[in-house]
């Protein structure tokens, strides 16, 4: 018999916020995905700064929501008991801000210095996947220093240091229209957090 394990509090609250936000945007006639998505050129302006956070909770369709909700529930059951509810909730806020903030910053810098290379940042992205990839990277890189550390990906052993990047590549192959820059940003931010770059934002205690 399969035993159902409920998601912890902060994980459950995040799932509810994602579900409600997505339902409102998809079902309300007066709101469109384009009004809330992370469009770097818009999010950089004060009036549209809300996109930096709201875009992470809204999803493009029911399947998008279901996939990310399933991943969040699995990661939350693993990480929230280790970190504690308050720290996990704060980590979600910090990772969402840093991941989407990095995309906006990358767009601004590339547009100013290398306009021909700015195309990856011309997105209108929604979804929680950036935070999910950041959480995966934190969990992996916090324990990747052990000699010979590997992770299993559909039964194939992958070096721990490469696991998040293989996951990004696999996701892009399976879902070509997925936001590559969001996933890459998530892994980079998660790796930096795992190596202590953001200790001042996320206390270890």
């Amino acid at each position: 018999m399969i035993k159902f394990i409920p998601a912890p509090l902060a994980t459950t609250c995040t799932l509810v916020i994602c579900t409600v936000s997505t339902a409102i945007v998809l079902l309300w006639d007066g709101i469109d995905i384009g009004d809330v998505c992370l469009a770097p050129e818009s999010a950089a302006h004060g009036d549209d700064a809300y996109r930096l956070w709201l875009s992470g909770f809204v999803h493009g369709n029911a399947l998008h929501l279901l996939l990310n909700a399933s991943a969040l529930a699995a990661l939350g059951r693993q990480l929230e008991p280790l970190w504690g509810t308050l720290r996990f909730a704060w980590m979600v806020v910090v990772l969402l801000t840093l991941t989407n903030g990095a995309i906006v910053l990358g767009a601004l810098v590339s547009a100013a210095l290398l306009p021909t290379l700015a195309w990856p940042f011309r997105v209108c992205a929604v979804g929680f996947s950036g935070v999910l990839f950041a959480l995966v990277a934190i969990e992996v890189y916090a324990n990747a220093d052990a000699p010979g550390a590997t992770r299993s990906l559909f039964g194939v052993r992958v070096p721990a240091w490469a696991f998040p990047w293989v996951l990004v590549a696999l996701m892009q192959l399976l879902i070509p229209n997925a936001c590559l820059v969001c996933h890459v940003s998530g892994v980079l931010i998660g790796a930096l957090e795992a190596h202590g770059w953001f200790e001042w934002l996320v206390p270890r205690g």
Side-chain angles (χ1 to χ4, degrees):
M1 181 177 179
I2 299 175
K3 182 179 179 180
F4 174 74
I5 303 175
L9 178 60
T11 301
T12 299
C13 290
T14 305
L15 289 168
V16 170
I17 293 172
C18 287
T19 302
V20 172
S21 300
T22 300
I24 290 174
V25 171
L26 293 182
L27 299 177
W28 199 307
D29 288 338
I31 304 178
D32 185 74
I33 288 289
D35 298 326
V36 299
C37 68
L38 181 67
E41 68 278 5
S42 298
H45 298 290
D47 291 344
D48 281 346
Y50 65 87
R51 294 173 183 264
L52 199 66
W53 297 278
L54 183 55
S55 62
F57 297 108
V58 174
H59 290 72
N61 52 53
L63 179 60
H64 187 199
L65 175 63
L66 178 62
L67 291 174
N68 278 358
S70 299
L72 174 58
L75 287 166
R77 289 189 184 100
Q78 179 182 358
L79 297 177
E80 188 175 338
L82 294 176
W83 294 350
T85 295
L86 291 180
R87 183 168 183 261
F88 183 87
W90 179 241
M91 182 75 83
V92 166
V93 174
V94 169
L95 293 177
L96 180 59
T97 303
L98 293 176
T99 300
N100 285 353
I103 296 171
V104 173
L105 180 61
L108 296 177
V109 172
S110 63
L113 302 180
L114 298 167
T116 57
L117 298 180
W119 61 267
F121 296 98
R122 297 193 182 108
V123 297
C124 184
V126 291
F128 207 69
S129 56
V131 175
L132 296 175
F133 274 95
L135 290 172
V136 168
I138 291 171
E139 195 279 330
V140 169
Y141 290 131
N143 304 288
D145 294 334
T150 62
R151 291 301 173 98
S152 176
L153 184 62
F154 300 114
V156 178
R157 303 306 299 184
V158 178
W161 63 267
F163 180 80
W165 299 108
V166 173
L167 205 57
V168 168
L170 181 62
M171 182 66 68
Q172 208 62 34
L173 286 173
L174 295 176
I175 311 176
N177 64 342
C179 181
L180 176 60
V181 70
C182 299
H183 299 169
V184 170
S185 177
V187 173
L188 290 174
I189 293 298
L192 292 175
E193 157 57 23
H195 287 90
W197 282 51
F198 304 121
E199 284 188 356
W200 56 283
L201 283 174
V202 186
R204 290 293 190 266

